[in-house]
Every structure is written in C-alpha cells, then in structure tokens.
Amino acid sequence: MSLVHAHDIRKRYVDGPVPVEVLRSVSLTVEEGDIVGICGASGSGKSTLLHLLGGLDRATAGEVFFDGLPLSHRTDEELAHLRNRSIGFVFQFYHLLTECTALENVMLPCLIAGVNRGEATTRATEVLVEMGLSDRAGHHPALLSGGEQQRVAIARAIVMRPRLLLADEPTRNLDRATGESVWTLLTDLSERHRMTMVVVSHNRDLLRTLPRVLELKDGRLDAEAA
Amino acid sequence: MSSATAFLARRLFSVRGMRSSQRVMFLVAVVGMTLAVATLFVALSLARGFEHAYRQSLLGFHAHVVLLAQGEVSDATSMLAALPERVHGLTEATPFLYREGLFIGKGSIKGVVLKGIDLQDPSWRERFRVSGNSKGEGVILGKAVFPGVDVGETVKLLIPKQHAGQSPFLDLAVAGTFSSGLYDSDSQFALIDLEQLRKLFGDPSDVITGIELFLDDPERAQSVAVSLEEWLPPTLRPVTWQELNAELFEAIRLEKTVLAIIMGMLVLVAALNIIAVVTVVIHARTREMAILSTLGISRRQRMKLLMRLGFTPGLWGTLLGLSLGIVVAFLLTRTSIIPIDPEVYLLDRLLLDLSPLLCGIIGVFSLGVTCLVAAVASQKLVSLPIIEGLRQAR
C-alpha cells in the first residue's frame, strides 16, 4: 500500500473577485521509502501541494490519503496528531522559534507528544549529534548560520522518526556549498532511516540526484521531468 | 498543565518577551484588575463591617429576646424564676420599665426614654460600656444626650405626672454615661435603677414593661421565641432582636447585594481588558502558532496556552487587588481619613470586616471571571490559519 496518495486534488483560493486555481487535478502516489522530487516555477503550486500532502491545508476537491486513510475525514485533532507523530516538515525559512535554543527547538515535537522533558532532551541531543550540531545545542537561532539553522530544522523534523518527511525548498536560502551539504544530509537521512521524502525545489541540479522527479506546471503534475 | 504548554507559555508569552506596547497593555490589564478587586474588597468589607458593628451594638444594648407586655404587667417574679428552666442557654433575664421624660441640661432640652433596669446586677456596666463610678445612684445618660456632660453634674427631669404638690422638675445627678456604639441609642436613652424609676413616676412596685432575655447564642433567639410563645401569658409577646431590627438588617443586606453587583461589574469590565491583551499578543505570535501547528500542537494544547496567557494578568490582578484592598481597609480602620457623621450613620467610626472568607470569595469570583473571559478569547483565537501564519513567518 502506498504511504501517500493524492487523487485528483484541486485547490482554489478566493482572494478578490477572481478565484485562483493553484492546483488542477493533481494525482500522486508515493510508496513507503520513496524519495520524490517536485520542481516547478514560482507560483506553480509546489508549496500548496506539500501543505495538502502534510495535512496543513485542505483540498478544494479530491482526496489525499495517508497510509490508506483519507485526510479529509480526519478531525483537526487527528491531523495534529498525524503531523506530530508521522510527518516532519522542513521549510525554506527554517521556521525555528527564536526564543528557544537549538536543543529546545528540536525538543518541541517530543514535548508536544507528551514525552517528558528528560526523555525529550535525550532524544533531541542524539539527533543534534547526528546532525553534527552538538556544540550548538545551547545557541539561539540568531547565533547560528543559515546552514546550521536548516540542520536544526531538519533535526526537529526527524526527532519523532516520522514516516514522511516533506521538505519545501530546503536549500533555497543557502549558498551553493551549504545547500549541497544540506541536500546530501537530507537524502542520506532519508535512506538511512528509510524515511519517505517528498522534496520541493527549484534547483534542477540537485533534483537530478533523486530517483524520481515530477514537474508541476499550470497547476498540473504533468510528467516526470528528471 | 502539560510540560509542552508550560514550556511554550514561558518561552512565548512571558512578560519579558513581549513588545513594549504589549507590555503596556498587560500592565493596564493587571492594574485594572487590581483596582477593581481592591474596590470590591473594600466596599464589601465596609458593608460587612457596618453590619457586624450594628449587630454587635444592637446585641449589646438590646436583649436577644424581649418578652414585651401588651401595656404593662405586674408580678413577673414567678415567671422570672421559671425562665432558666424553660429557656436553654439563657445567660440573663432581667425585667425593665420604659418611661419617657424631658431632660434639661447643658442649656438644651432633650426628650429621652428612661430605661429602668436592675442596676445592682453588675453585668450592665460592661454591656453598656459605662464610664463613671456609679453604683446605681442617679441617672446614666447616653453619651450623645448631652455631649460633654460630666459625672456628678445635675440635670433636670420633667416628668408628665407628679404627686400632688410635687414639682414637675426633678434634679438628678449624672452617675455616668454609656456608649452603645449606636447613635440612636446613645442620644435617646438614659438608664436608671428600676426601683428609682417606679418611685419617680409613682408606679406600683412590681410594674414592668417586659423582660429582657440574653442567650449564649443570639442566633437561637427565633427558636427560643417560638418555644416561649405557648407558655407565656397572653399579656406577654416574645420579640427577637432580628424582628426588632428587621428593617435595618434588610437595608444592609440590600446595600451589600447592590454593592456586590456593581463592584462585581467593575471586575468584569477589568477582566475584559484581558481579551485585548490576549488578542494583541496572539496576533503578534501568529508565526509561532503556525510553526507549532506544523509540529503537531493540538487545539486543546493551543487553548491551554491561550488560557494561560489570559489567566496570568487576572491572577496577578487578583492577588495584588486583594493585597491592596487589605492595606486600604486596614488604613481606613486605623485612621480617620474618612470621618463619618454619627447622626447619619448611627455609628461613630468607620468599621471594616477583614474576613479571610471574603478574601476567598472575591478571589474565587475574580479568578472565575478571568477564566471565563480568557476562555472566550481563547475560543475565538485558537483557530488561526496555519498557512497564513507560515506566510507571515517568512
């Protein structure tokens, strides 16, 4: 059974007199352990597709299935639980809480899951060591470089060992070398932990390293464009 | 509270972490709640203090149950002897006689009720807070009958009926003054020995207006009155202190209720400030709330976070308000910042009842209102759109 399956999903935004249809009849199947890249021009709906796959937003029509169960039938509480336990997000802008240290940021999903503070600290520390950030654990995001912030964000995304990792332009804000390093880290982690990953990027050079790449164009996931 | 919400509340919603404009709003909410709670506390303490003082003064000057004669009765000796057996918890039973007269003294004339009691009984001295060295000779005036009158001075009493050839004016030595704490009693009553009063007015040696009963527990007055009703002769009717002062206590009860409602509204208005604080702070934290949503924070956890945010100024305001209220009430009782006119208020000083129970009730009320308001605000704000928040986070 596929881990994620999007069936004929559409997304329309109504902002002003003319509705904007961002996604038109998008279907996608991602098997457990797959690494799928999605490319497309700015405004093509890549991030919107990722949000729908992760249950952050609801489709105007169509259905997204996670582990065979439709997301539209789940309550907000159930979706929150799914995001906490089974889905990790990595964003272009890192989205770290500036009031928290790197360690605390990584602990957050554990604390939200009800893990006690001691256990959460242990888990977060292990992941930060895996990311090579053990010496940065006590630093606040403002004191970290872009690459380090993104690695903290990745650590936060995988600390609960999710089944699906969704990465939205994870290298866009980074210089070339750092971007490549983060990209390698993501793909390595995905393979090492057998984590399914859907990654959106505009960088075709990086996407070429992935076994499967899809292109989103005019709101449709047209064809594989590796 | 779970460790996640407690941790996030400390990190995201601490006063230190707020912007200066949010801090000002937070401060305004706390100050508003503090003043409202303090006002409520002082107002109710004052009302309770007046009620308590009236009660104490009334119970000091008036008996707990009065067996009042329809007209007057004679020969109550056997009844007085039987009362200790009939009335459980009776501490004192004393006959009394009321007569009216005009006193002339200190250059003025006053209509006064002369209350004849057994002055040989030492208990009256303490009850009426008598100053002077009287053993019962002469008259003991209420301290407001002739203010400034000295013990040993002579006042004239004009009595309406006198023996043939007797002057209507009698000279009486002032043996002392009493202070009941009630201006009405202190300005309209004079105490005199029962036998002396009968002689002055030419009454038979056993005539009385009634019998005053004092109980170990004044609250039992009603049940004692009911139990005596069947036993008493038709000429005597038991009246309790509550019945004698029903209008006064009803007025105080009404005053307390109205004060509680009006001051309670103040607390509600102050609590509404909290909605503004929660709204502003949450809208400034849309980014963080959206990020937490991507990490899987549940609606229930978000509600707890917002409730905590709203509850904090309410808790501070309540604690500070009660503290301020206690300090203000204490100062009012210890100083004469607000003088009161005894002719208007019947009492000669401001009295406040600083009861821990009142503190508790106001604290629970204030925190309850805060919880309610915080819950309403949280309910409205808990469903912030995640995607919009993520866009703001860029």
Side-chain angles (χ1 to χ4, degrees), chain A residues 31-81:
Chain A
E31 301 293 338
E32 187 104 44
D34 274 2
I35 301 179
V36 179
I38 296 174
C39 62
S42 289
S44 60
K46 304 186 297 292
S47 297
T48 301
L49 176 60
L50 223 55
H51 293 156
L52 294 175
L53 296 180
L56 290 176
D57 203 358
R58 291 186 188 271
T60 310
E63 187 60 85
V64 176
F65 297 86
F66 186 91
D67 214 13
L69 296 172
L71 294 187
S72 65
H73 292 187
R74 300 198 185 205
T75 63
D76 286 347
E77 287 298 292
E78 288 168 341
L79 282 177
H81 187 265

Side-chain angles (χ1 to χ4, degrees), chain A residues 143-192:
Chain A
L143 297 175
L144 300 175
S145 68
E148 286 171 332
Q149 287 190 55
Q150 193 59 297
R151 278 192 283 158
V152 172
I154 294 168
R156 186 180 63 183
I158 66 164
V159 71
M160 292 295 288
R161 300 293 177 216
R163 295 174 69 190
L164 175 65
L165 187 62
L166 299 172
D168 186 5
E169 301 278 11
T171 62
R172 190 159 189 166
N173 268 24
L174 304 172
D175 60 64
R176 187 186 176 90
T178 312
E180 284 175 2
S181 145
V182 165
W183 186 265
T184 307
L185 179 66
L186 270 174
T187 50
D188 283 355
L189 279 170
S190 178
E191 284 168 5
R192 200 183 318 149

